[in-house]
């Protein structure tokens, strides 16, 4: 049995804010596939949950020119299956289809994943590499400013992600090595080729969460082929280290995943 | 203690109840409705023994609050057979020896029914294996489970004229 809390289903953003402010230590609930397990482990103990999934502004996937806009409450399964996403950024659809397992993808949402900013989550890498704008109940935040270290974002208390708008690149690829038990990334690289250059973001590996590998971006901007990365290396001192993969191995995996993402644009590559 | 009124349609019958907000959907099914075919294996969203179909999608009912399912339609393992006639997926699991201890079987069958609904009768073995990634079985090694799912899917195919 979980510890007691109260549940409130919001119909509008204003209602969600009001419920949130009425709690001592409220939390927003989207798909619940990170929050509920965290609460079961007593690693979080909000006194009230404000459910966002019924708010209409958080729904829908639309493309206008080079902007692809995804509602925060869209599930990983919906993103993976969306004709708009598959047409605009096939690697993003494939990324969504590689999160967790089918049951998890039926409930977990893109907004929830970004707000949680787990250092091994997939979406933060796509948001950063695709120069996304995170739209909230209050403002628009660029991905470069949004992610601020493990489980930390630019969101203020009570602020709600409403949509995520990705810039459609010329092409993009995502490559990852999964922890075979948890399915989270041990190291993964999202590489987007754009008119202005190349953006490359790494998740699962950095000891401060998702980050851009600027040295690799510069090399790929000059010559977009996997060989351009030869000799480049990340500092193991900046990597996470645990029983599954030590820092040196993670640094190595980042380079391998980046090369694979460059070599396999337009798709997901599992190492 | 925070409580809410919920109305959830389970296997075609609307069920109304006043439940604690913290109640998990799996505990609502098992303890309030007595539908103990849905199992709790790990209680950590890993094993899939608690899989049910919620509004057409397989979900882990240990990671959904009962109040989140307000207004939803749920199908559980008890909702598959028609009287004494097992569902074709249940028949196929028997025929192909796709279970040993049986603990994972209800969740495995609900995930399998849902994947065939989503991928159609021509689904291939590789897709079946990937689509069952969220269901753990500690007895069979999965091979016979995949055979059973493919057989049940194939049985849905309209015979060629």
């Amino acid at each position: 049995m979980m510890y007691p809390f109260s549940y409130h289903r919001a119909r509008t953003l204003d209602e969600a804010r009001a419920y949130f402010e009425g709690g001592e230590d409220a939390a927003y609930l989207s798909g619940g596939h990170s929050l509920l397990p965290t609460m079961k482990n007593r690693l979080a103990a909000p006194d009230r949950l404000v459910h966002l999934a019924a708010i209409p502004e958080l729904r829908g996937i639309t493309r206008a020119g080079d902007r692809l806009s995804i509602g925060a409450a869209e599930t990983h399964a919906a993103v993976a299956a969306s004709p708009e996403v598959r047409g605009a950024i096939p690697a993003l659809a494939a990324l969504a289809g590689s999160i967790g397992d089918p049951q998890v993808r039926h409930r977990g949402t893109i907004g929830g994943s970004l707000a949680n900013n787990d250092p091994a989550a997939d979406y933060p890498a796509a948001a950063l590499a695709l120069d996304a704008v995170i739209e909230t109940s209050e403002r628009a935040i660029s991905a470069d400013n949004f992610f601020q270290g493990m489980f930390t974002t630019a969101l203020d208390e009570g602020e709600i992600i409403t949509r995520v708008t990705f810039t459609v690149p010329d092409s993009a690829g995502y490559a990852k090595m999964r922890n075979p038990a948890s399915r989270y990334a041990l190291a993964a690289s999202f590489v987007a080729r754009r008119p202005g250059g190349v953006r490359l973001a790494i998740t699962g590996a950095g000891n401060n969460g998702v980050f851009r590998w600027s040295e690799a971006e510069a090399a790929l901007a000059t010559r977009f082929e996997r060989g351009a990365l030869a000799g480049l290396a990340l500092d193991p001192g900046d990597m996470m280290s645990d029983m599954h993969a030590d820092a040196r191995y993670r640094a190595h995996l980042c380079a391998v995943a980046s090369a694979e993402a460059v070599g396999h644009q337009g798709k997901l590559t599992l190492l | 203690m925070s409580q809410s009124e919920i109305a959830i349609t389970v296997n075609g019958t609307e069920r109304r109840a006043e439940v604690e907000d913290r109640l998990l959907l799996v505990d609502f099914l098992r303890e309030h409705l007595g539908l103990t075919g849905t199992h709790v294996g790990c209680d950590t969203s890993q094993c899939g023994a608690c899989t049910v179909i919620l509004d057409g999608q397989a979900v882990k009912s240990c990671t959904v609050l009962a109040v989140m399912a307000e207004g939803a339609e749920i199908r559980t393992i008890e909702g598959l057979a028609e009287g004494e006639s097992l569902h074709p997926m249940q028949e196929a699991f028997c025929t192909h020896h796709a279970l040993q201890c049986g603990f994972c079987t209800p969740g495995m069958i609900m995930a399998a029914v849902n994947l065939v609904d989503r991928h159609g009768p021509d689904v291939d073995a590789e897709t079946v294996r990937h689509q069952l990634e969220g269901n753990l079985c500690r007895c069979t090694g999965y091979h016979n489970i995949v055979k059973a799912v493919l057989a049940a899917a194939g049985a849905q195919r309209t015979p060629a004229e």
Side-chain angles (χ1 to χ4, degrees):
Chain A
M1 187 61 106
M2 298 178 80
Y3 70 86
F5 53 82
S6 66
Y7 166 91
H8 307 267
R9 186 183 294 208
R11 306 281 169 187
T12 66
L13 284 170
D14 286 345
E15 205 175 276
R17 285 301 292 252
Y19 281 136
F20 187 91
E21 282 156 18
E24 294 277 308
D25 180 23
Y28 290 122
L29 174 68
S30 187
H33 271 54
S34 293
L35 182 56
L36 295 178
T38 305
M39 290 168 66
K40 285 183 181 181
N41 287 334
R42 302 293 197 271
L43 296 171
D47 68 326
R48 62 163 61 185
L49 296 182
V50 182
H51 195 189
L52 303 175
I55 301 175
E57 291 99 311
L58 273 55
R59 292 285 181 177
I61 300 176
T62 56
R63 180 178 180 179
D66 72 340
R67 311 297 281 173
L68 177 72
S69 170
I70 302 180
E74 291 294 341
T75 63
H76 309 324
V79 173
S82 159
E84 287 81 11
V85 182
R86 293 165 80 116
I89 317 175
L92 179 63
L95 172 151
S98 77
I99 299 171
D101 56 49
Q103 291 96 318
V104 170
R105 295 195 287 274
H106 284 151
R107 299 296 294 178
T109 66
I110 186 169
S113 171
L114 293 171
N116 193 42
N117 192 19
D118 187 299
D122 296 285
Y123 272 128
L128 202 49
L130 293 168
D131 197 16
V133 173
I134 289 89
E135 296 164 34
T136 77
S137 50
E138 319 300 318
R139 57 190 164 139
I141 309 168
S142 73
D144 280 319
N145 294 325
F146 183 81
F147 301 107
Q148 302 190 345
M150 285 196 189
F151 299 108
T152 309
T153 70
L155 291 172
D156 288 329
E157 191 73 8
E159 191 171 5
I160 300 166
I161 300 179
T162 53
R163 308 194 71 77
V164 188
T165 302
F166 295 92
T167 309
V168 178
D170 294 338
S171 66
Y174 184 56
K176 73 170 159 176
M177 173 72 120
R178 285 194 284 200
N179 177 324
S182 75
R183 323 297 291 179
Y184 276 92
L186 275 178
S189 176
F190 199 104
V191 180
R193 192 177 193 186
R194 305 139 43 80
V198 174
R199 285 172 71 108
L200 185 160
I202 301 275
T203 189
N207 62 12
N208 201 28
V210 67
F211 67 94
R212 285 172 67 187
W213 186 5
S214 45
E215 211 182 353
E217 289 179 352
L220 290 167
T222 313
R223 190 160 61 96
F224 194 81
E225 55 187 55
R226 57 172 75 216
L229 298 172
L232 296 185
L234 285 160
D235 182 353
D238 296 329
M239 299 289 113
M240 288 193 279
S241 199
D242 56 33
M243 64 185 284
H244 305 292
D246 68 16
R248 276 188 56 227
Y249 180 48
R250 272 197 165 86
H252 174 71
L253 283 177
C254 291
V256 173
S258 296
E260 290 296 312
V262 169
H264 297 97
Q265 290 280 288
K267 57 166 94 167
L268 163 79
T269 306
L270 293 174
L271 303 178
Chain B
M1 203 68 72
S2 286
Q3 302 222 331
S4 299
E5 286 266 0
I6 56 170
I8 301 177
T9 301
V10 181
N11 299 328
T13 305
E14 191 186 67
R15 313 297 290 256
R16 290 178 174 274
E18 171 107 13
V19 299
E20 281 188 55
D21 287 356
R22 64 173 164 170
L23 185 72
L24 296 170
L25 177 58
V26 68
D27 292 325
F28 176 69
L29 295 172
R30 289 177 57 84
E31 288 168 27
H32 288 241
L33 304 185
L35 297 173
T36 53
T38 302
H39 291 168
V40 180
C42 67
D43 198 25
T44 60
S45 332
Q46 306 285 327
C47 79
C50 65
T51 299
V52 300
I53 300 174
L54 187 157
D55 288 338
Q57 296 186 312
V59 304
K60 295 180 177 178
S61 61
C62 79
T63 312
V64 178
L65 299 171
V67 285
M68 292 170 84
E70 150 68 20
E73 291 205 17
I74 308 276
R75 198 172 186 199
T76 71
I77 189 74
E78 290 89 347
L80 290 187
E82 292 191 22
E84 294 298 302
S85 311
L86 291 179
H87 184 281
M89 190 63 75
Q90 293 171 307
E91 287 285 3
F93 268 61
C94 295
T95 307
H96 293 274
H97 303 282
L99 63 147
Q100 189 171 315
C101 87
F103 194 86
C104 74
T105 308
M108 199 65 84
I109 287 180
M110 297 316 286
V113 167
N114 188 237
L115 87 84
V116 174
D117 277 350
R118 288 182 287 111
H119 290 269
D122 294 321
V123 64
D124 60 24
E126 193 190 348
T127 304
V128 170
R129 286 184 185 276
H130 282 298
Q131 286 293 317
L132 291 177
E133 281 176 2
N135 294 78
L136 302 182
C137 170
R138 302 290 77 170
C139 303
T140 71
Y142 303 102
H143 189 61
N144 286 356
I145 293 173
V146 175
K147 277 204 291 193
V149 177
L150 291 171
Q156 285 187 12
R157 247 178 255 136
T158 319
E161 310 227 339

